[in-house]
Amino acid sequence: NSAFLGSSLALRNALRYFPPDIQKKLVLEFAEELRLYGHIYMYRFFPDIEMRAYPIEDYPCKTKSAAAIMLMIMNNLDPSVAQFPQELVTYGGNGQVFSNWAQFWLAMQYLSEMTEEQTLVMYSGHPLGLFPSHQYAPRLVITNGMVGVSIFLHSMTAGSYCYIGPQGIVHGTVLTVLNAGRRYLKAEDLSGKVFVTSGLGGMSGAQAKAAVIAGCVGIIAEVDEAALMKRYKQGWLMEISNNLDHCIARLRDARKNKIALSLGYHGNVVDLWERLAYELDTTGELLADLGSDQTSCHNPFSGGYYPVQLGFEEAKQLLSTNPGKFRTLVQESLRRHVAAINRLTDKGMFFWDYGNAFLLEAQRAGADVEKKGANKTEFRYPSYVQHIMGDIFSLGFGPFRWVCTSGDPQDLATTDSIAMSVLEDSIRRGVSTSVKQQYHDNIRWIREAGRHSLVVGSQARILYSDQRGRVSIATAINRAIAEGRIKVCLFPLDMVWGEVINGGFGLVLDGSTEAEERAKMMLSWDVSNGVARRCWSGNGYAYETICQAMKDNAALKVTLPQKVVDENILEQALKS
């Protein structure tokens, strides 16, 4: 039958990594894992080492690039960073670094042998092999999500080893909340404003810290007590409670006194939203100003979203014993979820989709999320990417990370100081008003990041910057390495292209002239490519940004869109 054939194929594929003389022994273990977990993790090869980012000098490699890749792999599987490290899941519920532990060891073996004339090729966690190349070629090429050999990647940073812990999404959420406040609440100061959301997992856990840095009151629901306690012990949550009466009382107090607060509610977010709707109906008081959702709704029927009708453990049991019933309850819960949100937004709260497929799954469940008078692919609530952050991306701003591979916190402090100085100098030399605002936001972010102990795992930092800022920061850091002020630095970057396709790159700065030239070339390409795409789609900010980039670099030639000045010609052409 189909189940037997599927299991047989899974075992056959797993055994490809091993010679025939040990396959008979391994196949029994793998079959048992498949029966217990629905996946072959190869736990007999689970590393008996402390999984973390060690200083780059500790890795047995022939090149610094290979050592940097090993560092990032181990950081992505660090238990303090990864969501489910034993299952090789970094975040997103099922976003894996590798599919099994044999792949981990094989990749590390290849990296230990790799020279400057070889490139390691990875296919969705599978080490395809070391291929001859040259010193200017990438040391590692990764492709993920390919048909035939595929692992799920919620975003590219897990499968490309670029994840630096939840700091990245703390920063993105800070900017999202600040810009949502500006755009929809007309507020520069968010003190006393309330942000309600859900999820305290590998990525969503960042929301609590982001709320405090943005200066607002954040209340975040989480059904999994282990995830909630992890963020509380890390200091990312200031308070926790499983009592809605207490949560509402604290929310009111913090709102009235304009206290920045992150409060974790141990319970289902639907209960929280319905309680806020009840408060509105009974007191006339709208207690939430901003709202979103970061449940793993891209995976709603396999544990990414838990129905409000059941407790956490009860829901997990139902998922295991009756997935069909679980699915029905999830969709019913989504309808209730949206109904409560709609009640609040009708009275002035602003809600957005955080790219987790929440609105899509709610629509599939029959919830009222369609935009009135629009086609069925449009939702009544905006996407944070297009509607809140879109103009920022069109200015050339986007995620820009670096990792101090020494593991020394002082190196990170030095790079923070360098980055702030570069951005402040750029402001003094003159930039547009919109760019200046983003520079100020990121200078504020770096200061707050240092105060809030945001490092989890590797000594890393993230900010958003445009082309000028990226190149200037990378150049300044590379020169600081050459001067001996800091040690080697790694710049892992990623660009997200749509729902499935991702692209990105990482590079090592070692203080050399060659490293500086590579940084200038790659960072310019990274930004200009993205802005050119947004320009062609018709974004005015992107048009201005790419035109300025072409003025600054005569070698850059971008196809610019021409506007239809006379709309009448369209109608005339169609009539004729």
Side-chain angles (χ1 to χ4, degrees):
N1 59 35
S2 59
F4 174 83
L5 291 174
S7 297
S8 178
L9 179 60
L11 291 170
R12 187 187 306 276
N13 288 342
L15 291 173
R16 288 181 295 181
Y17 290 103
F18 307 98
D21 59 332
I22 61 171
Q23 288 181 356
K24 187 173 182 180
K25 181 176 182 179
L26 291 176
V27 73
L28 296 175
E29 296 179 14
F30 294 168
E32 181 67 3
E33 287 188 13
L34 193 59
R35 185 184 69 81
L36 291 174
Y37 313 120
H39 188 93
I40 300 172
Y41 294 103
M42 305 188 188
Y43 280 128
R44 79 152 37 224
F45 303 110
F46 187 83
D48 186 24
I49 53 174
E50 182 185 356
M51 192 69 71
R52 63 180 179 86
Y54 291 87
I56 194 168
E57 296 84 4
D58 292 0
Y59 292 94
C61 294
K62 297 178 181 179
T63 74
K64 284 182 180 177
S65 295
I69 295 165
M70 294 174 88
L71 181 154
M72 294 303 294
I73 287 173
M74 294 189 72
N75 185 66
N76 275 233
L77 294 170
D78 181 338
S80 69
V81 174
Q83 187 177 15
F84 304 121
Q86 294 88 350
E87 298 170 17
L88 300 119
V89 171
T90 300
Y91 61 78
N94 56 354
Q96 290 182 295
V97 181
F98 300 100
S99 183
N100 58 63
W101 287 104
Q103 291 177 343
F104 165 82
W105 284 114
L106 185 54
M108 297 297 266
Q109 177 66 30
Y110 281 141
L111 288 167
S112 70
E113 299 173 359
M114 186 170 68
T115 70
E116 292 286 352
E117 283 76 41
Q118 290 174 304
T119 293
L120 174 60
V121 178
M122 300 290 299
Y123 270 10
S124 285
H126 168 63
L128 195 65
L130 283 174
F131 289 77
S133 59
H134 53 84
Q135 68 180 98
Y136 299 110
R139 298 280 70 82
L140 173 67
V141 175
I142 301 174
T143 182
N144 293 307
M146 295 294 104
V147 174
V149 183
S150 184
I151 53 177
F152 174 78
L153 302 171
H154 185 53
S155 181
M156 195 178 179
T157 52
S160 62
Y161 326 137
C162 290
Y163 188 55
I164 60 169
Q167 177 189 165
I169 198 171
V170 174
H171 174 255
T173 308
V174 167
L175 294 188
T176 300
V177 173
L178 287 175
N179 284 288
R182 288 179 183 129
R183 181 165 183 170
Y184 297 103
L185 304 180
K186 309 303 180 188
E188 283 291 335
D189 180 4
L190 293 182
S191 58
K193 303 297 183 183
V194 177
F195 173 47
V196 179
T197 184
S198 59
L200 288 166
M203 294 288 277
S204 56
Q207 297 178 106
K209 183 65 78 173
V212 174
I213 293 175
C216 64
V217 180
I219 180 165
I220 305 97
E222 173 59 63
V223 293
D224 185 352
E225 187 176 18
L228 180 103
M229 292 306 298
K230 182 177 182 178
R231 297 305 173 202
Y232 182 60
K233 289 175 181 176
Q234 284 178 335
W236 291 46
L237 276 172
M238 295 166 66
E239 299 177 16
I240 56 176
S241 175
N242 61 3
N243 185 293
L244 275 175
D245 290 338
H246 175 77
C247 289
I248 296 299
R250 285 294 292 127
L251 185 158
R252 278 197 167 100
D253 179 68
R255 185 168 177 256
K256 177 182 177 181
N257 295 295
K258 297 189 175 182
I259 300 169
L261 172 68
S262 58
L263 171 60
Y265 167 56
H266 180 213
N268 197 291
V269 70
V270 179
D271 285 327
L272 175 58
W273 282 120
E274 289 182 340
R275 176 59 184 269
L276 291 167
Y278 171 81
E279 294 295 326
L280 174 64
D281 291 338
T282 56
T283 69
E285 189 176 13
L286 179 65
L287 293 176
D289 301 286
L290 299 170
S292 192
D293 183 89
Q294 280 196 36
T295 53
S296 295
C297 264
H298 62 276
N299 189 32
F301 309 121
S302 300
Y305 181 99
Y306 283 88
V308 66
Q309 303 93 323
L310 302 175
F312 182 56
E313 295 300 329
E314 190 181 2
K316 286 202 298 183
Q317 180 66 26
L318 182 65
L319 174 59
S320 175
T321 59
N322 191 341
K325 176 65 173 175
F326 182 87
R327 183 187 186 98
T328 298
L329 291 180
V330 163
Q331 292 192 319
E332 181 184 315
S333 183
L334 282 166
R335 291 193 292 271
R336 286 175 55 181
H337 195 153
V338 169
I341 290 170
N342 290 350
R343 181 79 187 90
L344 297 165
T345 57
D346 286 345
K347 294 299 181 180
M349 185 189 79
F350 174 73
F351 183 90
W352 68 87
D353 182 280
Y354 223 116
N356 61 336
F358 171 71
L359 292 179
L360 178 63
E361 289 300 334
Q363 182 187 52
R364 289 169 175 168
D368 181 16
V369 293
E370 291 180 7
K371 187 175 182 179
K372 301 296 186 281
N375 63 58
K376 291 187 179 295
T377 62
E378 289 189 73
F379 297 116
R380 66 188 294 171
Y381 300 118
S383 156
Y384 89 103
V385 172
Q386 199 61 29
H387 297 270
I388 301 175
M389 301 299 287
D391 287 344
I392 297 170
F393 295 151
S394 294
L395 290 168
F397 284 79
F400 181 57
R401 309 173 181 85
W402 64 87
V403 177
C404 296
T405 57
S406 64
D408 186 350
Q410 186 53 50
D411 277 358
L412 183 60
T414 302
T415 60
D416 279 350
S417 178
I418 290 170
M420 284 193 290
S421 295
V422 166
L423 296 181
E424 288 165 349
D425 183 59
S426 293
I427 291 171
R428 282 193 294 270
R429 286 188 285 124
V431 292
S432 69
T433 301
S434 52
V435 169
K436 182 178 179 180
Q437 183 181 67
Q438 296 309 313
Y439 277 176
H440 277 307
D441 281 352
N442 281 279
I443 291 167
R444 169 185 176 178
W445 157 256
I446 295 173
R447 291 197 181 107
E448 292 295 327
R451 292 175 190 153
H452 285 268
S453 303
L454 288 173
V455 169
V456 178
S458 59
Q459 293 293 318
R461 184 67 70 228
I462 186 172
L463 53 76
Y464 274 25
S465 189
D466 58 355
Q467 183 171 319
R468 177 195 288 187
R470 290 174 186 230
V471 172
S472 298
I473 291 170
T475 300
I477 289 177
N478 194 61
R479 290 174 183 171
I481 294 169
E483 295 163 3
R485 294 166 55 200
I486 52 178
K487 303 174 188 71
V488 177
C489 235
L490 171 67
F491 279 72
L493 306 167
D494 78 295
M495 305 170 285
V496 179
W497 296 0
E499 186 174 344
V500 178
I501 304 300
N502 298 271
F505 69 93
L507 55 87
V508 174
L509 296 183
D510 58 8
S512 65
T513 302
E514 292 81 3
E516 182 171 323
E517 288 306 308
R518 283 197 298 270
K520 288 177 179 177
M521 287 188 292
M522 289 305 297
L523 292 169
S524 296
W525 153 258
D526 174 34
V527 177
S528 293
N529 175 60
V531 175
R533 288 185 298 107
R534 298 188 72 86
C535 169
W536 188 249
S537 72
N539 185 280
Y541 283 120
Y543 185 94
E544 293 174 10
T545 301
I546 205 66
C547 286
Q548 184 60 51
M550 287 192 286
K551 287 180 182 178
D552 295 340
N553 186 348
L556 176 65
K557 304 289 185 183
V558 172
T559 305
L560 298 175
Q562 300 297 320
K563 292 183 178 180
V564 176
V565 178
D566 183 2
E567 292 287 335
N568 293 324
I569 64 173
L570 303 179
E571 186 177 350
Q572 291 169 4
L574 291 173
K575 284 182 178 179
S576 64

